[in-house]
Amino acid sequence: EPEVTQTPSHQVTQMGQEVILRCVPISNHLYFYWYRQILGQKVEFLVSFYNNEISEKSEIFDDQFSVERPDGSNFTLKIRSTKLEDSAMYFCASTPAPGNTIYFGEGSWLTVV
Amino acid sequence: AQSVTQLDSHVSVSEGTPVLLRCNYSSSYSPSLFWYVQHPNKGLQLLLKYTSAATLVKGINGFEAEFKKSETSFHLTKPSAHMSDAAEYFCVVTPFRNYGGSQGNLIFGKGTKLSVKP
């Protein structure tokens, strides 16, 4: 079965450093998402992306965050200057069309020290 | 506004006994409701979904859930637990018109960790 793949699985970074989390959505999917889960808290929506632009973003997704689809396969989340509170599991997800199942990746653990 | 409450953070059952994971939701619109499961070191996998068709929804691995509008509930059940069911389960809600579309703002519950004893 096709999968959403994410790299790295775990990254440790120093506060203030830039981080890029990478995702390869399922190949025929058109809608892409990032979610995050801080340890012990709910999974939270960050951003959705369709047709090469952001469709919706949450209050969490401030100017420190950006997303990009640099080529036909990758979908990246960049955190420009990481803060301790950015430590979380980040999930990428994709779906082919509205009403279809949203498929999630295995997540990328980000630890900011 | 939409929200979802999972009433138990941890449920422990013995293998072969029934499973009940409780979920209540709040939604201003006709909701779509889902259960996702996350096994250790794995991604979120869709178990089942309700999108305004039959109120009793069957999912993978023998799980099912019943949408009860009068009780605003969408509890997950399984008649007989298996060791492989040990995982974290998330109840998720979104307005039907938004699901999977350009917005895709899934709202997750806090999760229920299911333990299965031999």
Side-chain angles (χ1 to χ4, degrees):
Chain A
E1 186 177 336
E3 291 182 336
V4 175
T5 57
Q6 291 185 238
T7 53
S9 57
H10 191 188
Q11 182 163 352
V12 181
T13 189
Q14 288 200 323
M15 192 168 53
Q17 294 296 304
E18 176 183 283
V19 160
I20 297 176
L21 304 179
R22 291 183 167 78
C23 170
V24 180
I26 296 172
S27 63
N28 63 339
H29 287 191
L30 300 176
Y31 297 81
F32 314 115
Y33 312 91
W34 283 101
Y35 286 77
R36 80 170 185 191
Q37 184 181 28
I38 295 171
L39 192 64
Q41 298 186 23
K42 294 184 180 185
V43 176
E44 302 170 292
F45 169 76
L46 291 179
V47 65
S48 60
F49 191 87
Y50 169 70
N51 201 25
N52 283 320
E53 59 184 27
I54 290 174
S55 310
E56 186 185 7
K57 58 184 180 180
S58 70
E59 291 177 356
I60 304 166
F61 195 88
D62 61 22
D63 291 343
Q64 293 298 312
F65 291 90
S66 62
V67 289
E68 196 177 33
R69 189 157 162 80
D71 52 43
S73 60
N74 289 285
F75 178 52
T76 61
L77 174 69
K78 183 192 289 185
I79 308 174
R80 192 167 304 128
S81 177
T82 49
K83 304 188 282 284
L84 293 176
E85 53 266 37
D86 293 328
S87 295
M89 174 76 92
Y90 289 82
F91 291 105
C92 176
S94 70
T95 189
N100 281 254
T101 297
I102 294 179
Y103 293 87
F104 284 81
E106 293 189 0
S108 293
W109 257 119
L110 176 65
T111 303
V112 182
V113 297
Chain B
Q2 295 79 41
S3 67
V4 61
T5 302
Q6 291 183 245
L7 297 158
D8 306 295
S9 58
H10 192 187
V11 169
S12 182
V13 301
S14 297
E15 192 173 20
T17 64
V19 175
L20 170 65
L21 304 183
R22 297 182 294 167
C23 172
N24 286 94
Y25 70 91
S26 169
S27 178
S28 305
Y29 306 98
S30 293
S32 283
L33 291 154
F34 315 87
W35 278 97
Y36 279 83
V37 60
Q38 185 179 26
H39 288 92
N41 302 316
K42 295 288 184 184
L44 294 160
Q45 181 186 20
L46 182 69
L47 268 183
L48 50 79
K49 65 181 179 183
Y50 166 78
T51 54
S52 80
T55 56
L56 182 62
V57 182
K58 293 188 186 300
I60 61 172
N61 301 334
F63 283 94
E64 61 182 40
E66 186 171 7
F67 173 70
K68 291 187 177 179
K69 187 175 181 179
S70 60
E71 299 176 10
T72 60
S73 69
F74 190 59
H75 302 332
L76 182 70
T77 60
K78 182 172 180 178
S80 176
H82 191 272
M83 296 296 290
S84 61
D85 295 328
E88 187 144 24
Y89 292 80
F90 295 93
C91 184
V92 180
V93 67
T94 192
F96 176 72
R97 61 189 175 87
N98 286 342
Y99 174 62
S102 61
Q103 297 185 4
N105 189 353
L106 299 181
I107 298 164
F108 282 73
K110 276 192 145 181
T112 299
K113 188 171 182 180
L114 176 65
S115 300
V116 182
K117 297 174 290 191

Coordinates of all heavy atoms in Angstrom, one line a residue, chain B residues 24-81:
Chain B
N24 N -16.8 11.8 22.7 CA -17.9 12.7 22.5 C -17.5 13.9 21.7 O -16.3 14.3 21.8 CB -18.5 13.1 23.8 CG -19.3 12.1 24.5 OD1 -18.8 11.3 25.3 ND2 -20.5 12.0 24.1
Y25 N -18.3 14.4 20.9 CA -17.9 15.5 20.0 C -18.9 16.7 20.1 O -20.0 16.6 20.6 CB -17.9 15.0 18.5 CG -19.3 14.8 18.0 CD1 -20.0 15.8 17.3 CD2 -19.9 13.5 18.2 CE1 -21.3 15.6 16.9 CE2 -21.2 13.3 17.7 CZ -21.9 14.3 17.1 OH -23.2 14.1 16.6
S26 N -18.4 17.8 19.6 CA -19.2 19.0 19.5 C -18.9 19.6 18.2 O -17.8 19.7 17.8 CB -18.8 20.0 20.6 OG -19.4 21.2 20.4
S27 N -20.0 19.9 17.4 CA -19.8 20.4 16.1 C -21.0 21.3 15.7 O -22.1 20.9 15.9 CB -19.7 19.2 15.1 OG -19.6 19.7 13.8
S28 N -20.7 22.4 15.1 CA -21.7 23.3 14.7 C -22.3 22.8 13.4 O -23.4 23.3 13.0 CB -21.1 24.7 14.5 OG -20.5 25.2 15.6
Y29 N -21.6 22.0 12.6 CA -22.1 21.5 11.4 C -22.3 20.0 11.4 O -21.9 19.4 12.4 CB -21.1 21.9 10.3 CG -20.7 23.3 10.2 CD1 -19.6 23.8 10.8 CD2 -21.5 24.2 9.5 CE1 -19.2 25.1 10.7 CE2 -21.2 25.5 9.4 CZ -20.0 26.0 10.0 OH -19.7 27.3 9.9
S30 N -22.8 19.4 10.4 CA -22.9 18.0 10.3 C -21.5 17.5 10.3 O -20.7 17.8 9.4 CB -23.6 17.5 9.1 OG -24.9 17.8 9.1
P31 N -21.1 16.7 11.3 CA -19.6 16.3 11.4 C -19.3 15.1 10.5 O -20.2 14.3 10.2 CB -19.5 16.0 12.8 CG -20.8 15.4 13.2 CD -21.8 16.1 12.4
S32 N -18.0 15.0 10.1 CA -17.4 13.8 9.8 C -16.6 13.3 11.0 O -15.9 14.2 11.6 CB -16.6 13.9 8.5 OG -17.3 14.0 7.4
L33 N -16.7 12.1 11.3 CA -16.0 11.6 12.5 C -15.1 10.4 12.1 O -15.5 9.6 11.2 CB -17.0 11.1 13.6 CG -17.8 12.3 14.2 CD1 -19.1 11.8 14.7 CD2 -17.0 12.9 15.3
F34 N -14.0 10.3 12.8 CA -13.0 9.3 12.4 C -12.4 8.7 13.7 O -12.3 9.4 14.7 CB -11.9 9.8 11.6 CG -12.3 10.7 10.5 CD1 -12.6 12.1 10.7 CD2 -12.6 10.2 9.2 CE1 -13.0 12.9 9.7 CE2 -13.1 11.1 8.2 CZ -13.3 12.4 8.4
W35 N -11.9 7.5 13.5 CA -10.9 7.0 14.5 C -9.6 6.6 13.8 O -9.7 5.9 12.8 CB -11.5 5.7 15.2 CG -12.5 6.0 16.3 CD1 -13.8 6.0 16.2 CD2 -12.1 6.3 17.7 NE1 -14.4 6.3 17.5 CE2 -13.3 6.4 18.4 CE3 -10.9 6.3 18.4 CZ2 -13.4 6.7 19.7 CZ3 -11.0 6.6 19.7 CH2 -12.2 6.8 20.4
Y36 N -8.6 7.1 14.4 CA -7.2 6.8 13.9 C -6.5 6.0 15.0 O -6.7 6.2 16.2 CB -6.4 8.0 13.5 CG -6.7 8.7 12.2 CD1 -7.8 9.5 12.0 CD2 -5.9 8.4 11.1 CE1 -8.0 10.1 10.8 CE2 -6.1 9.0 9.9 CZ -7.2 9.9 9.7 OH -7.4 10.4 8.5
V37 N -5.6 5.1 14.6 CA -4.8 4.4 15.5 C -3.3 4.6 15.2 O -2.9 4.8 14.1 CB -5.1 2.8 15.4 CG1 -4.8 2.3 14.0 CG2 -4.4 2.1 16.5
Q38 N -2.6 4.7 16.3 CA -1.1 4.8 16.2 C -0.4 3.8 17.0 O -0.5 3.8 18.2 CB -0.7 6.2 16.6 CG 0.8 6.5 16.4 CD 1.2 7.9 16.9 OE1 0.6 8.5 17.8 NE2 2.2 8.4 16.2
H39 N 0.2 2.8 16.3 CA 1.0 1.9 17.0 C 2.4 2.5 17.2 O 2.8 3.4 16.6 CB 1.2 0.6 16.1 CG -0.1 -0.2 16.1 ND1 -1.1 -0.1 15.1 CD2 -0.6 -1.2 16.9 CE1 -2.1 -0.9 15.3 NE2 -1.8 -1.6 16.4
P40 N 3.1 1.9 18.2 CA 4.4 2.5 18.6 C 5.3 2.6 17.4 O 5.5 1.7 16.6 CB 5.0 1.5 19.6 CG 3.8 0.9 20.2 CD 2.8 0.8 19.1
N41 N 5.9 3.8 17.2 CA 6.9 4.1 16.1 C 6.2 4.0 14.7 O 6.9 3.7 13.7 CB 8.1 3.2 16.2 CG 8.8 3.4 17.5 OD1 9.0 4.5 18.0 ND2 9.2 2.2 18.1
K42 N 4.9 4.1 14.7 CA 4.2 4.1 13.4 C 3.4 5.4 13.2 O 3.2 6.1 14.1 CB 3.3 2.9 13.4 CG 4.0 1.5 13.4 CD 4.7 1.3 12.1 CE 5.3 -0.1 12.1 NZ 6.1 -0.4 10.9
G43 N 3.0 5.6 12.0 CA 2.2 6.8 11.7 C 0.7 6.6 12.1 O 0.3 5.5 12.7
L44 N -0.1 7.5 11.8 CA -1.5 7.5 12.2 C -2.3 6.7 11.0 O -2.2 7.1 9.9 CB -2.1 8.9 12.3 CG -1.5 9.7 13.5 CD1 -1.8 11.2 13.3 CD2 -2.2 9.2 14.8
Q45 N -3.0 5.7 11.4 CA -3.7 4.9 10.4 C -5.2 5.0 10.6 O -5.7 4.9 11.8 CB -3.3 3.4 10.6 CG -3.9 2.5 9.6 CD -3.6 1.0 9.8 OE1 -3.2 0.6 10.9 NE2 -3.8 0.2 8.8
L46 N -5.9 5.2 9.6 CA -7.4 5.4 9.7 C -8.0 4.0 10.0 O -7.8 3.0 9.3 CB -7.9 5.9 8.4 CG -9.5 6.1 8.4 CD1 -9.8 7.3 9.3 CD2 -10.0 6.4 6.9
L47 N -8.8 3.9 11.0 CA -9.5 2.7 11.4 C -10.9 2.7 10.7 O -11.3 1.7 10.2 CB -9.8 2.7 12.9 CG -8.8 2.0 13.8 CD1 -9.3 2.0 15.2 CD2 -8.5 0.5 13.4
L48 N -11.6 3.8 10.8 CA -12.9 3.9 10.2 C -13.3 5.4 10.2 O -12.7 6.2 10.8 CB -13.9 3.1 11.0 CG -14.0 3.2 12.5 CD1 -14.8 4.5 13.0 CD2 -14.6 2.0 13.2
K49 N -14.4 5.6 9.4 CA -14.9 7.0 9.3 C -16.4 7.0 9.1 O -17.0 6.1 8.5 CB -14.2 7.7 8.1 CG -14.5 7.2 6.7 CD -13.8 8.0 5.7 CE -14.0 7.5 4.3 NZ -13.3 8.2 3.3
Y50 N -17.0 8.0 9.7 CA -18.5 8.3 9.5 C -18.6 9.6 8.7 O -18.0 10.6 9.1 CB -19.1 8.4 10.8 CG -20.5 9.0 10.7 CD1 -21.6 8.3 10.3 CD2 -20.7 10.4 11.0 CE1 -22.9 8.8 10.1 CE2 -22.0 10.9 10.9 CZ -23.0 10.2 10.4 OH -24.3 10.7 10.3
T51 N -19.3 9.6 7.6 CA -19.5 10.8 6.8 C -21.0 10.9 6.4 O -21.3 11.2 5.2 CB -18.6 10.8 5.6 OG1 -18.8 9.6 4.8 CG2 -17.2 10.9 5.9
S52 N -21.9 10.8 7.3 CA -23.3 11.0 7.1 C -24.1 9.9 6.4 O -25.2 10.1 6.0 CB -23.6 12.3 6.5 OG -23.5 12.2 5.1
A53 N -23.5 8.7 6.3 CA -24.2 7.6 5.7 C -24.7 6.7 6.9 O -25.3 7.2 7.8 CB -23.3 6.8 4.7
A54 N -24.5 5.4 6.8 CA -24.9 4.6 7.9 C -24.3 4.9 9.2 O -23.1 5.3 9.3 CB -24.5 3.1 7.6
T55 N -25.1 4.9 10.3 CA -24.6 5.3 11.6 C -23.7 4.3 12.3 O -22.9 4.7 13.1 CB -25.8 5.6 12.5 OG1 -26.6 4.5 12.6 CG2 -26.6 6.8 12.0
L56 N -23.9 3.0 11.9 CA -22.9 2.0 12.4 C -21.9 1.8 11.4 O -22.2 1.4 10.2 CB -23.7 0.7 12.7 CG -22.8 -0.4 13.3 CD1 -22.2 0.0 14.6 CD2 -23.6 -1.7 13.4
V57 N -20.7 2.1 11.7 CA -19.5 2.1 10.8 C -18.6 0.9 11.1 O -18.2 0.8 12.3 CB -18.8 3.4 10.8 CG1 -17.7 3.4 9.8 CG2 -19.7 4.6 10.5
K58 N -18.3 0.1 10.2 CA -17.3 -1.0 10.4 C -16.0 -0.5 9.8 O -15.9 0.0 8.8 CB -17.8 -2.2 9.7 CG -19.1 -2.8 10.4 CD -19.4 -4.2 9.9 CE -20.8 -4.7 10.4 NZ -20.7 -4.8 11.9
G59 N -14.9 -0.9 10.6 CA -13.6 -0.5 10.2 C -12.7 -1.7 10.0 O -13.2 -2.9 10.0
I60 N -11.4 -1.5 10.0 CA -10.4 -2.6 9.9 C -10.2 -3.3 11.2 O -10.6 -2.7 12.3 CB -9.1 -2.1 9.3 CG1 -8.5 -1.0 10.3 CG2 -9.3 -1.5 7.9 CD1 -7.1 -0.6 9.9
N61 N -9.7 -4.5 11.1 CA -9.3 -5.2 12.3 C -10.5 -5.5 13.3 O -10.2 -5.6 14.5 CB -8.2 -4.5 13.1 CG -6.9 -4.4 12.2 OD1 -6.7 -5.1 11.3 ND2 -6.2 -3.3 12.5
G62 N -11.7 -5.6 12.8 CA -12.8 -5.9 13.6 C -13.4 -4.8 14.5 O -14.3 -5.0 15.3
F63 N -12.9 -3.6 14.3 CA -13.4 -2.4 15.1 C -14.7 -1.9 14.4 O -14.8 -1.9 13.2 CB -12.4 -1.3 15.1 CG -11.3 -1.6 16.1 CD1 -10.1 -2.2 15.8 CD2 -11.5 -1.2 17.5 CE1 -9.1 -2.4 16.7 CE2 -10.5 -1.5 18.4 CZ -9.3 -2.1 18.0
E64 N -15.6 -1.3 15.2 CA -16.7 -0.6 14.7 C -17.1 0.6 15.6 O -16.6 0.6 16.8 CB -17.9 -1.5 14.4 CG -18.5 -2.2 15.6 CD -19.6 -3.1 15.2 OE1 -19.6 -3.8 14.2 OE2 -20.6 -3.1 16.0
A65 N -17.8 1.5 15.1 CA -18.2 2.7 15.9 C -19.6 3.1 15.5 O -20.0 2.9 14.3 CB -17.3 3.8 15.7
E66 N -20.4 3.6 16.4 CA -21.7 4.0 16.1 C -21.9 5.5 16.4 O -21.6 6.0 17.5 CB -22.7 3.2 17.0 CG -24.2 3.5 16.6 CD -25.2 2.6 17.3 OE1 -24.8 1.8 18.2 OE2 -26.4 2.7 17.0
F67 N -22.4 6.2 15.4 CA -22.7 7.6 15.5 C -24.0 7.8 16.1 O -25.0 7.3 15.6 CB -22.6 8.3 14.1 CG -23.1 9.7 14.1 CD1 -22.3 10.7 14.6 CD2 -24.3 10.1 13.5 CE1 -22.7 12.0 14.6 CE2 -24.7 11.4 13.5 CZ -23.9 12.4 14.0
K68 N -24.1 8.5 17.3 CA -25.3 8.7 18.0 C -25.5 10.2 18.1 O -24.9 10.8 19.0 CB -25.3 8.0 19.3 CG -25.4 6.5 19.3 CD -25.6 5.9 20.6 CE -25.8 4.4 20.5 NZ -25.9 3.7 21.9
K69 N -26.3 10.8 17.3 CA -26.4 12.2 17.2 C -27.0 12.8 18.6 O -26.6 13.8 19.1 CB -27.3 12.7 16.1 CG -27.3 14.2 15.8 CD -28.1 14.5 14.6 CE -28.2 16.0 14.4 NZ -28.9 16.4 13.1
S70 N -28.0 12.0 19.1 CA -28.7 12.5 20.3 C -27.7 12.5 21.5 O -27.9 13.3 22.4 CB -29.9 11.6 20.6 OG -29.4 10.2 20.8
E71 N -26.7 11.7 21.5 CA -25.8 11.6 22.6 C -24.4 12.3 22.2 O -23.5 12.4 23.0 CB -25.5 10.2 23.0 CG -26.7 9.4 23.4 CD -26.4 8.0 23.7 OE1 -25.2 7.6 23.7 OE2 -27.4 7.2 23.9
T72 N -24.4 12.8 21.0 CA -23.1 13.4 20.4 C -21.9 12.5 20.7 O -20.9 12.9 21.2 CB -22.8 14.8 20.9 OG1 -22.7 14.8 22.3 CG2 -23.9 15.8 20.5
S73 N -22.1 11.2 20.4 CA -21.0 10.2 20.7 C -20.7 9.5 19.5 O -21.4 9.3 18.5 CB -21.5 9.3 21.8 OG -22.5 8.4 21.4
F74 N -19.5 8.9 19.6 CA -18.9 8.1 18.5 C -17.9 7.1 19.1 O -16.8 7.2 18.8 CB -18.3 9.0 17.4 CG -17.9 8.3 16.1 CD1 -18.9 7.6 15.4 CD2 -16.6 8.2 15.7 CE1 -18.5 7.0 14.2 CE2 -16.3 7.6 14.5 CZ -17.2 7.0 13.7
H75 N -18.5 6.2 19.9 CA -17.6 5.3 20.7 C -17.1 4.2 19.8 O -17.8 3.7 18.9 CB -18.4 4.7 21.8 CG -18.9 5.7 22.8 ND1 -18.3 6.9 23.0 CD2 -20.0 5.7 23.6 CE1 -19.0 7.6 23.9 NE2 -20.1 6.9 24.3
L76 N -15.9 3.8 20.0 CA -15.2 2.7 19.3 C -15.3 1.4 20.0 O -15.1 1.4 21.3 CB -13.8 3.1 19.0 CG -12.9 2.1 18.2 CD1 -13.4 2.1 16.7 CD2 -11.5 2.4 18.3
T77 N -15.7 0.3 19.4 CA -15.9 -1.0 20.1 C -15.2 -2.1 19.2 O -15.0 -2.0 18.0 CB -17.3 -1.3 20.3 OG1 -18.0 -1.4 19.0 CG2 -18.0 -0.3 21.2
K78 N -14.9 -3.1 20.0 CA -14.5 -4.4 19.3 C -14.9 -5.5 20.2 O -14.7 -5.4 21.5 CB -12.9 -4.4 19.1 CG -12.4 -5.6 18.4 CD -10.9 -5.5 18.1 CE -10.5 -6.8 17.4 NZ -9.0 -6.7 16.9
P79 N -15.5 -6.6 19.7 CA -16.0 -7.6 20.6 C -14.9 -8.4 21.4 O -15.2 -8.8 22.5 CB -16.7 -8.6 19.6 CG -16.8 -7.8 18.3 CD -15.7 -6.8 18.3
S80 N -13.7 -8.5 20.8 CA -12.7 -9.3 21.4 C -11.3 -8.8 21.2 O -10.9 -8.7 20.0 CB -12.8 -10.8 20.9 OG -11.8 -11.6 21.4
A81 N -10.7 -8.3 22.2 CA -9.4 -7.7 22.0 C -8.3 -8.7 21.7 O -8.3 -9.8 22.2 CB -9.0 -6.9 23.3

